[in-house]
Amino acid sequence: MSAAVAVRTIAAEPYPFPFDPAACALLVIDMQRDFLEPGGFGAALGNDVALLRRTIAPNVRLLAAWRAAGLAVFHTREGHAPDLSDLPPAKLARARGAPRIGDPGPMGRILIRGEAGHAIIPELAPLPGEPVIDKPGKGAFWATDLQTQLAARGIRQLVVTGVTTEVCVNTTVREANDRGYDCLVPSDCVGSYFPEFQEMGLKMIKAQGGIFGWVSESKHLLAALQ
Ligand code: TIU
């Protein structure tokens, strides 16, 4: 981690974010083939993956700058064990309509660890040494050791990117907020299959004086990292 990068403020809503690079991790949520690629789980449910794919280039740029600055990077993947032992029956049952988690799909069994569709897209592939948190839920903290890993690195702030804005990104931001982390969400680096949920998912984070955190754009982070 680079100690040379000093604390500075980032333009954000509802007010500037006090960015402390040495204590801030980039947390890239579920940029997996099943959600982003044509032929994956998301596309099979009838969603337009282009709405998510627009986040790839901004995430690539932010990740490169983050790595170049020597700051902490964490990745997450949503998925389940091949025997579905960590899949709550309610989660399986509520996904009405085909296909369901564990069913065969065009990129292997859907949302099963080790299958092709479960992998992070190649554009954002983790580097050796970057933790990859495998999570069975929507939030990155539930049933994972993310909090332990963040504490070990002295992390108190999170820049949260990835998909989808209103589901796994929002759930993770809320979990993080309750655990005392300051979260910044760059709007161009998060995506939803539903434009109205993209808008409202971001508004919910920054409303009421930043009830869950801050919303900004990656260009402001890139400027601060230079
Ligand atoms: N990663 C994540 O958000 N998982 C989802 O299932 N999202 C949906 O929007 N369905």
Side-chain angles (χ1 to χ4, degrees):
M1 223 176 282
S2 170
V5 191
V7 178
R8 72 274 319 263
T9 54
I10 306 269
E13 293 181 308
Y15 57 88
F17 178 76
F19 180 40
D20 182 1
C24 187
L26 177 62
L27 180 60
V28 186
I29 302 289
D30 299 0
M31 290 292 278
Q32 294 162 258
R33 299 184 65 196
D34 256 336
F35 295 122
L36 286 129
E37 294 194 354
F41 181 42
L45 294 174
N47 297 301
D48 177 7
V49 293
L51 292 167
L52 267 53
R53 296 190 65 78
R54 65 155 187 79
T55 69
I56 296 174
N59 267 292
V60 166
R61 284 192 293 271
L62 182 59
L63 185 56
W66 208 268
R67 286 168 171 162
L71 308 184
V73 177
F74 287 75
H75 307 260
T76 71
R77 299 182 296 202
E78 181 178 356
H80 298 275
D83 64 1
L84 306 185
S85 54
D86 59 358
L87 175 60
K91 183 176 179 182
L92 178 65
R94 223 174 317 105
R96 295 268 167 110
R100 301 198 302 180
I101 294 168
D103 284 350
M107 291 193 285
R109 293 179 67 202
I110 288 161
L111 287 185
I112 298 299
R113 292 187 199 122
E115 302 285 345
H118 177 262
I120 292 172
I121 57 170
E123 297 93 325
L124 293 169
L127 291 180
E130 291 178 353
V132 179
I133 305 294
D134 277 314
K135 61 188 187 59
K138 303 305 183 191
F141 287 85
W142 183 72
T144 74
D145 65 356
L146 176 59
Q147 190 166 1
T148 303
Q149 293 209 39
L150 294 174
R153 290 167 173 76
I155 300 297
R156 292 177 289 101
Q157 302 183 333
L158 298 171
V159 170
V160 186
T161 74
V163 297
T164 62
T165 307
E166 80 279 15
V167 181
C168 291
V169 171
N170 241 281
T171 304
T172 296
V173 167
R174 289 166 189 234
E175 285 185 328
N177 179 63
D178 277 349
R179 287 164 174 79
Y181 296 92
D182 282 333
C183 294
L184 177 72
V185 178
S187 59
D188 53 323
C189 293
V190 297
S192 170
Y193 298 122
F194 306 95
E196 66 271 39
F197 292 167
Q198 172 75 6
E199 181 189 352
M200 291 303 166
L202 292 168
K203 279 187 174 171
M204 281 186 222
I205 290 166
K206 67 185 178 185
Q208 302 186 64
I211 191 103
F212 298 124
W214 288 257
V215 175
S216 185
E217 293 172 65
S218 63
K219 66 182 180 187
H220 297 307
L221 278 161
L222 294 175
L225 288 168
Q226 273 180 357

